[in-house]
Amino acid sequence: MSGTSGILKYVSSEHLARKIDFQGPVPSTKEVYRRALNIAWPSAAETVLVSLVGSVDTIMVGGLGPAAIAAVGLTNQPKFILLALINSLNVGVTTVVARRRGQENREGAQKCVRVALMITFTLSLILAILGFVFAEPIMSISGAAADTMQDSIDYFRILMIGFVPMCIGLTVNAAQRGVGNTRIAMTTNLTSNGINLIFNYLLIHGNLGFPRLEVKGAALATILGSTVACLMSIRSILPHDTYLHIRLRDKWRLDKETLGSIWKISYSAVIEQLFMRIGFFTYVRIVAGLGTIAFATHQICMNVINLSFSFGDGFSIAIASLVGQSLGAKRPDMAKLYVKVNKVLLYAISGTLSVIFVVFRYQIIGLFTDEAAIITEAGTLMLIIAATTVIQTSALSYTGCLRGAGDARYIAVTAFISIAIIRPLSAWVLCYPVGWGLVGAWISLFIDQCMRCILNGTRFRKGKWAEIEV
C-alpha cells in the first residue's frame, strides 16, 4: 500500500510542478489530469485506431502474398512526401488557432481556418495531378521491382483521385485540435476506417458479389473512407454555435496578417517535413534493396511500431493544443505542467506496450503472415521495437510541446540531423558494410529515436520555447 502511495505522490501535480515557477496555486492532480485526458484520449484513440486499421489493411492485403504487402508499402513514402506541404501548413494552423483561442480571439481563429482551406484546396489539387501523372517514375524511384511495380502504380494513382478531400479533412481537423476539439478528428477517422475495412473486405477478394480488385480494391476502400471523413469534418464547422464556424458569405481572401502568422510556423515545418521525407524515403529505399521478403517483413514491423507511435503522436497533438492555449493565456507554467503530466501517461502506456511486444511477438507477427522466414526475422525485430517504444513516445511529448509553442525551426534542425542524416547513413552502414541486413536497419531507427529524444528534451528543459510570439 505504501508503494502505491509513493508512486501516486511521484506523479502528483505538486511533485511534477516542484521545479516550475508557478504564477498561482498549483492545480489539483485530479483537475490537471482530467483536462489533459479530455483532450488527449480522443486524439490518441484516433491515431491508434488509424494505425490498427492500417495494420488490418496490411493483414487483408497480405492474403495476396508478400509482393502485395511490399507494393502497398512502397506507396507510403511518396504519399507522405506529397502530404508534407499540407502537414506543414496544418502545424501552423493548429498553433495559430490554439493561440487565438487562448487570447479569446474567435474571429482570428476563424479567419485562420478560411485562409488555410483556400491554400489546402489549391495545393492538394496540384499535388494530386502531379502524383497521378508521374506515378510510374515515382514508384520506380521508390524501389519497386518487377513483381511490385504495376500494383504499386495502380494503388498510388487511385489514392491521388481522393487526395483533395483527404487533405481538406486533415486541415479542418488540425484547426479543431487547436481549440481542443480532438473528438471530431476521432469521429471522422473512426467512420473513415470503418468504411475502409468494409470495402477492403468487399473489394480485395471480391466478397458478397463485389468484383475482385485485389490491391486496387484496397486503394478504392481508402479513398471512399477519406472522402466521407472530409464531409464530416466540413460539417463540424458549419453550425453557428460552434467555436470555429465558416460561411460562404464570409470574406474568403488571403488575409496578409493571418497568412503571415501561419507562415511563421509553417515554413519551418516545411523544412522539417522535407528533411523527414528525404530521410524516410532514403531509409525505405535502403531497406527495399534487401529484397521483397525483407521489405515485406519490414512493412509488417512498421505496422507494429506504428501502434506505439500512434499513442505518442495522439498525446503529442494534445500537448501542442494545451501548450498553445496556455501560452496564449500567458501561462507558460501550465504549459510545462501539461507536458509533464502527459509524459507520465505516455510512460505508463509505452511500458505496457513494450512488455506485450516482447511476450507476444510471434503471435503478433502471425496475424500478418504465415511465411516462416518472415515470422522468424520479425520476431527478432520485435525486441528492438520494444526497446524503441519508450524512447519514441518520450521524444514525441517534447516535439508536441515545441510545436504548440511555435518552435518549428528547432524541430526542423533536429529532423535534419537525426532523420535526414543519422538514420539513413547508419542504416546503410549497418545493412551493407557491416552486414546486419534488416536488423541493422532497425538498430538505425532506434539510434534516430534516441537522438531526437535527447535533442528535443534538451530544448524543452532550457525553456526558450515559452518566449516565442505567434
Side-chain angles (χ1 to χ4, degrees):
M1 192 71 179
S2 59
T4 303
S5 299
I7 294 172
L8 292 176
K9 179 181 178 181
Y10 181 76
V11 300
S12 68
S13 60
E14 290 81 6
H15 182 82
L16 294 175
R18 69 193 190 283
K19 293 183 179 180
I20 300 173
D21 184 18
F22 254 81
Q23 299 174 16
V26 177
S28 69
T29 300
K30 182 178 180 180
E31 178 186 349
V32 76
Y33 274 91
R34 182 172 63 242
R35 188 174 182 211
L37 281 170
N38 280 344
I39 294 181
W41 83 258
S43 183
E46 170 209 348
T47 51
V48 169
L49 288 168
V50 169
S51 176
L52 286 173
V53 171
S55 297
V56 174
D57 231 9
T58 303
I59 291 169
M60 297 172 85
V61 171
L64 301 173
I69 296 175
V72 173
L74 285 165
T75 66
N76 284 338
Q77 288 311 316
K79 178 184 73 175
F80 289 133
I81 287 172
L82 293 181
L83 279 170
L85 284 174
I86 305 300
N87 288 334
S88 301
L89 169 72
N90 290 344
V91 170
V93 171
T94 299
T95 303
V96 173
V97 169
R99 285 293 183 98
R100 300 297 174 263
R101 177 64 188 265
Q103 296 163 353
E104 299 185 0
N105 181 2
R106 184 181 183 187
E107 176 54 34
Q110 293 175 338
K111 194 181 293 183
C112 177
V113 177
R114 294 195 295 272
V115 169
L117 285 175
M118 287 187 285
I119 297 172
T120 295
F121 177 79
T122 305
L123 272 180
S124 61
L125 182 60
I126 293 170
L127 292 171
I129 293 170
L130 291 174
F132 188 92
V133 173
F134 297 104
E136 185 170 353
I138 289 172
M139 289 302 106
S140 180
I141 295 170
S142 299
D147 58 343
T148 57
M149 178 62 79
Q150 193 55 53
D151 276 345
S152 62
I153 291 172
D154 291 341
Y155 189 92
F156 193 68
R157 280 184 169 155
I158 293 171
L159 285 185
M160 291 301 98
I161 294 172
F163 193 70
V164 173
M166 178 192 299
C167 293
I168 291 174
L170 290 173
T171 296
V172 174
N173 288 349
Q176 292 282 27
R177 289 186 182 108
V179 298
N181 184 4
T182 52
R183 297 195 181 196
I184 182 60
M186 180 188 70
T187 304
T188 57
N189 276 291
L190 270 174
T191 305
S192 172
N193 293 333
I195 292 171
N196 185 15
L197 288 178
I198 291 169
F199 282 93
N200 270 343
Y201 173 76
L202 297 174
L203 297 175
I204 291 176
H205 296 286
N207 291 310
L208 301 181
F210 281 78
R212 180 185 172 95
L213 300 178
E214 300 187 347
V215 169
K216 293 179 184 177
L220 282 170
T222 298
I223 67 168
L224 284 171
S226 62
T227 300
V228 172
C230 171
L231 295 174
M232 292 177 65
S233 295
I234 292 173
R235 188 178 182 277
S236 75
I237 54 176
L238 295 181
H240 292 273
D241 57 347
T242 57
Y243 189 86
L244 294 178
H245 168 62
I246 61 169
R247 298 166 297 183
L248 289 177
R249 64 175 180 270
D250 289 333
K251 292 181 180 179
W252 289 81
R253 59 187 181 85
L254 295 177
D255 176 74
K256 187 176 180 179
E257 182 181 350
T258 303
L259 195 58
S261 296
I262 296 173
W263 177 245
K264 183 179 179 181
I265 308 300
S266 296
Y267 89 93
S268 295
V270 169
I271 297 171
E272 176 206 352
Q273 286 286 325
L274 177 64
F275 291 147
M276 284 178 61
R277 294 308 148 198
I278 290 173
F280 289 154
F281 185 84
T282 307
Y283 176 70
V284 169
R285 191 70 180 80
I286 290 167
V287 176
L290 297 171
T292 298
I293 295 296
F295 190 78
T297 305
H298 173 76
Q299 188 61 27
I300 288 171
C301 289
M302 286 303 296
N303 274 272
V304 176
I305 200 172
N306 277 343
L307 180 62
S308 68
F309 173 82
S310 297
F311 274 109
D313 192 41
F315 275 82
S316 179
I317 291 167
I319 290 170
S321 177
L322 288 166
V323 167
Q325 290 182 41
S326 298
L327 293 180
K330 306 297 182 184
R331 292 296 306 270
D333 52 339
M334 286 301 302
K336 293 173 184 177
L337 182 59
Y338 281 127
V339 175
K340 292 189 175 186
V341 165
N342 277 281
K343 275 190 68 179
V344 169
L345 297 170
L346 274 173
Y347 279 138
I349 294 169
S350 59
T352 303
L353 286 174
S354 293
V355 173
I356 293 172
F357 289 160
V358 171
V359 175
F360 299 104
R361 59 189 184 277
Y362 293 113
Q363 291 88 339
I364 292 170
I365 300 302
L367 295 172
F368 293 88
T369 182
D370 56 5
E371 295 273 344
I374 293 179
I375 293 174
T376 300
E377 185 159 29
T380 302
L381 300 182
M382 288 289 287
L383 300 177
I384 301 174
I385 290 173
T388 305
T389 294
V390 176
I391 303 295
Q392 182 184 59
T393 51
S394 183
L396 284 166
S397 67
Y398 294 131
T399 302
C401 170
L402 299 180
R403 280 212 175 95
D407 199 2
R409 184 180 299 178
Y410 182 82
I411 298 174
V413 172
T414 61
F416 173 69
I417 294 171
S418 187
I419 304 173
I421 296 178
I422 292 176
R423 187 195 283 203
L425 183 60
S426 60
W428 182 83
V429 170
L430 295 175
C431 282
Y432 298 104
V434 176
W436 288 353
L438 198 53
V439 171
W442 278 79
I443 290 175
S444 73
L445 186 149
F446 175 75
I447 294 170
D448 162 35
Q449 294 292 345
C450 289
M451 181 60 67
R452 276 188 273 172
C453 186
I454 292 169
L455 292 173
N456 291 341
T458 301
R459 184 71 165 185
F460 168 75
R461 284 184 286 274
K462 288 184 176 179
K464 291 182 179 180
W465 49 270
E467 302 169 6
I468 297 172
E469 294 293 332
V470 175

